[in-house]
């Protein structure tokens, strides 16, 4: 892109930070400290996009928006606002603003939003300069940052871990990250899918067996627990483990020992257990499908991976990574690129299959592509059409203030890791006011106590 992004922010330090963040991503950037200076720059610099604070000295962000739309209706405007200015943010959106961001602005969210907006307006985008990757995980969202920080804390400990999340979110990748960041990294990482093995074979697969232990056991075989040694045993889809096996697994965890089938000689359980499931185990316990005592044994440290639709800022880095990876694997060069409007459509899609679905789609598109550049017309109809449906809905539906308020409260809670006291400070309201709002918008029941964190 040749035209710059204009930052309008009266706070000097924040203005500098925003400029640095955008320039690090390859966006040419200019900055103004008030609306009057911004209008002068718009006349001379013709920016591709304006990001303005709502509260400015003199003319407000909404006032600046109206002036821009009168003279340059083609320039998209994004408003940044504090929680107390939410009504003004809604007013600004009705006046033509593309989006609003609540302060403090999340860097990943900001970059993703600017890419989406510029792509929608047909601007050429700079390449993704960074592919944030730590512990083998890619993403810039706050959800991923929190997950990475938790991995750093949890990895050195021997405690059992339960990873939850929808199918395709990368639960095994997180389990491997825990293993590689732990003192057990030099030891084996053994993965076992509890739902992929017939019921009668699960016990022998996990515990192992001696020759003659059962019909067909012509030789001794070590089980997964034994193979893991002092490393990590990853029990994928643990919610599918048969109830009889749950009893035996619980005993092994309690006593820290297990026995091969066909012998009475116990062996020490030295491996760390990391389990994963896409089902609600607490619900499975209440319905009698999963043992409560085993659930608590496994759920010493819970790790939840949010679905891709809840961390859209990660889609662009993931697309960049997968395109590179796929082109390398299939021996195709130079790397296939993607058009801005195609990336915008991918970012707007709900992704029921999460990261796995995204990767599979990109592989299919790259293999079938003849021109080295993915266009929106290359996308499946349901993805391209969803973008049109969303755009149509957004342009015809009135703005829902309760929905915006709900999202703002959620953003504050996520940024403070659901600490209600800190979220209240961030929003500029009392903790009691925050809890009232949480109840009003369905985030907290009347029966909930006064714990400082919200149980997610």
């Amino acid at each position: 892109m040749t035209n710059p992004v204009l930052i309008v922010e009266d706070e000097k330090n924040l203005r500098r930070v925003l400029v640095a963040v955008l320039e690090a991503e390859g966006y040419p950037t200019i900055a103004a400290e008030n609306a009057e200076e911004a209008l002068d720059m718009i006349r001379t610099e013709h920016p591709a996009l304006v990001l303005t604070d709502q509260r400015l000295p003199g003319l407000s962000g909404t006032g600046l928006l109206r002036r821009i739309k009168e003279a340059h209706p083609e320039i998209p405007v994004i408003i940044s606002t504090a929680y107390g200015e939410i009504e003004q943010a809604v007013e600004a959106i009705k006046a033509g603003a593309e989006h609003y961001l609540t302060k403090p602005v999340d860097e990943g969210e900001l970059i993703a939003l600017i890419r989406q907006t510029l792509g929608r307006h047909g601007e050429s985008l700079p390449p993704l300069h960074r592919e944030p990757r730590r512990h083998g995980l890619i993403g810039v969202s706050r959800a991923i940052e929190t997950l990475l920080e938790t991995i750093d804390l949890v990895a050195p400990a021997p405690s059992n871990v339960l990873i939850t999340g929808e199918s395709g979110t990368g639960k095994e990748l997180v389990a491997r990250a825990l293993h590689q960041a732990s003192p057990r990294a030099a030891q084996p990482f053994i993965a076992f899918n509890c739902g992929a093995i017939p019921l009668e074979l699960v016990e022998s697969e996990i515990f192992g067996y001696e020759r003659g232990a059962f019909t067909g056991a012509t030789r001794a075989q070590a089980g997964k627990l034994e193979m893991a040694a002092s490393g990590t045993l990853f029990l994928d889809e643990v919610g599918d483990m048969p109830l009889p096996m749950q009893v035996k697994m619980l005993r092994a965890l309690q006593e820290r020992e297990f026995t091969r089938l066909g012998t009475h000689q116990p062996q020490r359980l030295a491996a760390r257990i990391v389990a994963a499931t896409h089902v609600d185990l607490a619900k499975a316990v209440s319905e009698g499908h999963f043992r409560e005592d085993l659930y608590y044994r496994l759920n010493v440290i819970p790790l939840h991976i949010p679905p891709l639709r809840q961390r859209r800022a990660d889609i662009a880095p993931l697309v960049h990574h997968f395109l590179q990876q796929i082109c390398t694997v299939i021996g195709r060069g130079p790397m296939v690129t993607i058009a801005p409007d195609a990336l915008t459509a991918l970012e707007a899609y709900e992704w029921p299959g999460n990261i796995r679905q995204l990767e599979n789609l990109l592989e299919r598109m790259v293999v079938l592509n003849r021109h080295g550049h993915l266009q929106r017309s290359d996308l499946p109809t349901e993805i391209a059409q969803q973008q049109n449906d969303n755009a149509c809905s957004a342009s015809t539906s009135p703005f829902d203030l309760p929905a915006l308020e709900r999202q703002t409260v959620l953003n504050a809670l996520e940024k403070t890791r659901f600490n209600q006291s800190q979220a209240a400070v961030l929003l500029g309201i009392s903790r009691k006011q925050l809890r009232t709002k949480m109840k009003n918008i369905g985030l907290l029941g009347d029966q909930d106590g006064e714990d400082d964190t919200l149980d997610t």
Side-chain angles (χ1 to χ4, degrees), residues 9 23 32 34 41 55-56 85 93 109 136 139 163 194 201 220 241 247 257 359 370 376 412 414 420:
E9 171 60 59
E23 289 186 342
N34 55 55
M41 288 185 172
R55 184 173 296 175
L56 296 170
E85 299 160 352
I93 291 177
E109 181 184 1
I163 304 171
C194 298
L201 297 180
M241 182 179 285
V247 177
E257 65 178 30
E359 181 180 10
R370 299 178 181 178
R376 181 179 164 188
E414 288 174 356
Q420 294 176 23

Side-chain angles (χ1 to χ4, degrees), residues 262-296:
T263 181
H264 297 291
Q265 184 64 41
Q267 299 185 54
R268 188 173 71 89
L269 197 169
R272 181 189 203 176
I273 305 299
V274 177
T277 180
H278 73 280
V279 303
D280 184 343
L281 280 191
K283 182 180 179 182
V285 168
S286 66
E287 294 175 348
H289 302 312
F290 200 85
R291 289 187 63 94
E292 183 176 24
D293 40 13
L294 179 58
Y295 170 62
Y296 289 121

Side-chain angles (χ1 to χ4, degrees), residues 6 8 15 31-43:
L6 172 58
V8 189
R15 189 167 65 247
E33 61 180 329
N34 55 55
E36 289 72 21
E37 185 180 350
L39 289 169
D40 289 338
M41 288 185 172
I42 290 170
R43 282 188 287 268

